[in-house]
Amino acid sequence: MPTTKKQEFYFGMMMCLGMVFVMTTYNFMLNGMSNVLTPLQMVKEMIMVFIIALALELVIVGPIAHKVVFSLPFKKEKKLYMILTLSTCMVIGMVFFMSIYGLIHASIAGSLTNQHVLISFFTIFAKNIIVAYPTQILIIGPAVRFLFSKFISIKQAPSL
């Protein structure tokens, strides 16, 4: 979809914004924080998570996912294969890093149980991947690609 660095940035921002909203809301509900935090605190938390997630997506996960996808032996001309493979790599990478963020956040907040840190990490990872992957593949990804294609066609249309 994106063909320039600027377009990649906007596409990444749109994708990140949608996923951060869904996943942060999910984690607020999962951890009982939706009844504890004020709406302003939730917005502040979402902004902080968005900044971290966007930085991770642009600097680490995105470039690695692209390298992995282009090194895999499949027909890259098939748009659906590219979308599914890249989305899968992106979701795995982002859930991995954002689960580390969640683990650190829970540790600082003192809400970790007495489990081993690896068990806590894999628990957080599992709870997030089961929501993030279908959300990305079925909802956010298609919606962002649709909106992005409309944005690009408007930007590239010749003016009269």
Side-chain angles (χ1 to χ4, degrees), residues 65-76 85-86 89:
H66 281 86
K67 285 179 185 173
V68 168
V69 168
F70 286 106
S71 71
L72 293 173
F74 69 93
K75 293 184 180 183
K76 294 170 183 67
T85 307
L86 188 56
C89 289

Side-chain angles (χ1 to χ4, degrees), residues 110-126:
S111 61
L112 275 182
T113 61
N114 290 333
Q115 296 177 3
H116 189 274
V117 71
L118 282 177
I119 294 171
S120 295
F121 170 78
F122 285 116
T123 301
I124 293 168
F125 183 89

Side-chain angles (χ1 to χ4, degrees), residues 46-103:
M46 281 189 191
I47 291 170
M48 183 175 66
V49 171
F50 173 74
I51 292 168
I52 292 167
L54 184 62
L56 284 168
E57 192 271 331
L58 292 172
V59 177
I60 299 171
V61 177
I64 291 172
H66 281 86
K67 285 179 185 173
V68 168
V69 168
F70 286 106
S71 71
L72 293 173
F74 69 93
K75 293 184 180 183
K76 294 170 183 67
E77 303 80 35
K78 301 246 182 185
K79 189 176 180 182
L80 181 61
Y81 292 174
M82 281 297 291
I83 289 170
L84 291 175
T85 307
L86 188 56
S87 293
T88 299
C89 289
M90 292 293 294
V91 169
I92 291 169
M94 290 302 293
V95 170
F96 175 81
F97 283 108
M98 294 309 291
S99 294
I100 292 171
Y101 167 80
L103 185 65

